[in-house]
């Protein structure tokens, strides 16, 4: 493998990883442009080193050309785990973690000289990240279960008031999770999983809850 070819492979890896990283960066995810670029370059470099070591020593010792590169697949799990966060009843960052694993595989493909699979894989990953979210949101919109986060005053009777408001709309609460708010010590964040009647929209529920005394903020769960 010539020096020029090695340099071109690393440049291509930085471009492909950066493209996927830009999509994550645009959504303000835990791992973004620089992280994805570095992972892809590092994976490509690991594969290049693995191949070069094999070509250098395969005549004198038994060598496995994929041994070094194989550690990337397992090692990237530690980095991906750092992007996964549990917030109450929800877990966030799984898509970002999967993206890091995928971009590592792209880097390995580039390092191995498999340019077409690497480029096609990048295109498919971008397509999934950008367009599948719309499909997911469409089918999620067909479900009757909705999740919201309500910030309320930490005082007695608040959950009763919220329950009464929801009951009047025919909305039932399927799950509740309460956390102390990071913004103010006298506030609570309540995550609600709601079962909505077919004729009731989540926007109507949020509007109605906004009128409840002691409710300061309402957001939908992704």
């Amino acid at each position: 493998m010539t020096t020029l070819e090695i340099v071109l492979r690393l440049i291509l890896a930085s471009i492909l990883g950066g493209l996927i990283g830009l999509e994550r960066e645009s959504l303000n995810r835990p791992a973004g442009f620089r992280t994805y670029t570095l992972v892809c370059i590092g994976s490509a470099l690991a594969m290049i080193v693995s191949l070069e070591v094999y070509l250098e020593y395969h005549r004198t010792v038994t060598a496995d050309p994929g041994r070094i590169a194989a550690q990337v697949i397992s090692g990237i799990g530690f980095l991906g785990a750092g992007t996964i966060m549990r917030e109450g009843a929800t877990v966030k960052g799984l898509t970002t973690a999967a993206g890091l694993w995928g971009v590592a595989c792209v880097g390995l493909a580039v390092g191995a000289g498999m340019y077409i699979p690497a480029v096609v894989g990048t295109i498919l990953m971008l397509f999934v990240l950008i367009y599948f979210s719309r499909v997911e949101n469409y089918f999620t919109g067909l479900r009757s279960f909705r999740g919201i986060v309500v910030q309320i005053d930490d005082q007695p009777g608040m959950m009763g008031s919220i329950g009464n408001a929801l009951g009047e709309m025919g909305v039932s609460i399927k799950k509740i999770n309460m956390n102390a708010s990071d913004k103010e010590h006298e506030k609570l964040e309540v995550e609600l999983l709601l079962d909505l009647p077919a004729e009731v929209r989540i926007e109507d529920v949020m509007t109605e809850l906004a009128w409840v005394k002691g409710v300061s903020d309402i957001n939908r769960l992704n």
Side-chain angles (χ1 to χ4, degrees):
M1 194 184 307
T2 65
T3 301
L4 178 61
E5 189 174 5
I6 292 175
V7 172
L8 290 177
R9 290 185 184 187
L10 293 176
I11 292 175
L12 178 59
S14 67
I15 293 173
L16 297 181
L19 288 174
I20 301 173
L22 281 175
E23 190 279 337
R24 297 282 86 191
E25 188 77 35
S26 67
L27 298 176
N28 196 30
R29 294 300 187 255
F33 178 65
R34 291 184 299 174
T35 304
Y36 274 75
T37 303
L38 289 172
V39 167
C40 202
I41 294 174
S43 300
L45 186 58
M47 177 58 82
I48 291 171
V49 170
S50 190
L51 291 175
E52 289 295 303
V53 169
Y54 171 75
L55 293 175
E56 181 72 20
Y57 298 105
H58 75 282
R59 292 186 179 88
T60 57
V61 298
T62 302
D64 181 1
R67 178 169 295 179
I68 297 176
Q71 304 309 309
V72 174
I73 300 300
S74 58
I76 200 67
F78 291 97
L79 184 60
T83 67
I84 301 174
M85 298 174 291
R86 188 177 187 279
E87 298 180 2
T90 62
V91 176
K92 297 182 179 181
L94 289 173
T95 301
T96 300
L100 284 171
W101 184 84
V103 83
C105 293
V106 169
L108 291 176
V110 173
M114 303 173 67
Y115 305 124
I116 293 179
V119 172
V120 173
T122 300
I123 294 173
L124 289 175
M125 288 175 65
L126 285 171
F127 183 82
V128 169
L129 290 170
I130 296 172
Y131 293 103
F132 275 32
S133 61
R134 301 178 184 179
V135 177
E136 184 179 35
N137 290 336
Y138 171 76
F139 283 102
T140 300
L142 298 179
R143 297 204 304 256
S144 60
F145 291 97
R146 299 288 188 279
I148 60 173
V149 178
V150 184
Q151 189 175 88
I152 62 175
D153 293 338
D154 187 5
Q155 61 184 26
M158 280 302 306
M159 287 307 303
S161 299
I162 291 176
N164 289 335
L166 293 174
E168 292 177 359
M169 301 182 69
V171 177
S172 60
I173 302 174
K174 292 299 182 182
K175 191 173 183 179
I176 300 177
N177 191 75
M178 302 181 68
N179 301 299
S181 175
D182 293 332
K183 299 178 181 177
E184 299 179 40
H185 295 296
E186 297 182 353
K187 298 287 186 180
L188 291 176
E189 279 190 352
V190 183
E191 295 182 7
L192 301 173
L193 181 62
L194 306 176
D195 185 4
L196 276 61
E199 69 277 5
V200 177
R201 301 182 308 162
I202 189 62
E203 292 80 9
D204 299 330
V205 174
M206 295 172 68
T207 300
E208 186 67 24
L209 290 180
W211 288 97
V212 177
K213 185 178 180 180
V215 174
S216 55
D217 190 30
I218 307 174
N219 293 293
R220 295 182 63 171
L221 282 175
N222 295 329

